[in-house]
């Protein structure tokens, strides 16, 4: 399902929402979609941070959600961008407590925190939504 609001004053949709069953290569396709919207919205400066954060959230779905199903929301906001990844797994995301320097994983949420302005998780009746926001640099 691909739902979009009415086009904004610039004729570019301010929201994109799509349901996916993700796999090992899904993040690449989602980055392309995200980049397209950022360019259209004139938010190119957010591309690197937003792509990295989205990749980490999608990777968490691949690793930790049994059915690998999620809904991705990309939302233009007055101050920048909000991205949400919702899934049907109620377990909250947590940084791996014992990630050593040589461990292959466990740093994804630390990266999200480092490259975004805000991030968080909101539980709901069927799972959770993990989100981040990136503000336009001034």
């Amino acid at each position: 399902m691909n739902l979009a609001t009415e086009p904004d004053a610039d004729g570019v949709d301010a929201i994109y929402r799509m349901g996916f069953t993700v796999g090992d290569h899904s993040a690449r396709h989602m980055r392309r979609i995200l980049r397209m919207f950022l360019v259209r919205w004139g938010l190119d400066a957010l591309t690197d941070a937003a792509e990295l954060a989205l990749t980490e959230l999608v990777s968490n779905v691949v690793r930790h959600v049994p059915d690998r199903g999620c809904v991705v929301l990309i939302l233009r906001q007055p101050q920048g961008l909000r991205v949400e990844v919702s899934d049907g797994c109620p377990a909250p995301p947590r940084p791996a407590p014992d990630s050593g320097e040589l461990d292959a994983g466990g740093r994804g949420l630390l990266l999200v925190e480092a490259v975004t302005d805000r991030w968080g998780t909101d539980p709901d009746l069927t799972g959770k939504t993990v989100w981040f926001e990136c503000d336009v640099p001034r």
Side-chain angles (χ1 to χ4, degrees), residues 19-106:
F20 296 94
T21 299
V22 294
D24 293 336
H25 302 287
S26 297
R28 176 175 48 128
H29 303 294
M30 290 186 196
R31 285 191 303 268
R32 188 177 319 144
I33 293 167
L34 177 60
R35 189 177 321 118
M36 178 191 69
F37 278 95
L38 291 173
V39 168
R40 284 181 151 180
W41 294 337
L43 300 176
D44 306 55
L46 304 179
T47 301
D48 291 340
E51 284 185 351
L52 177 58
L54 178 59
T55 298
E56 294 302 330
L57 297 188
V58 170
S59 295
N60 282 346
V61 172
V62 171
R63 286 186 191 109
H64 304 294
V65 176
D67 70 359
R68 293 185 170 189
C70 68
V71 174
V72 175
L73 174 75
I74 302 170
L75 177 64
R76 181 180 181 181
Q77 296 186 307
Q79 75 277 9
L81 170 76
R82 180 179 175 101
V83 174
E84 298 180 357
V85 177
S86 301
D87 63 57
C89 182
R94 289 183 250 250
D98 297 332
S99 290
E101 288 181 27
L102 301 178
D103 288 349

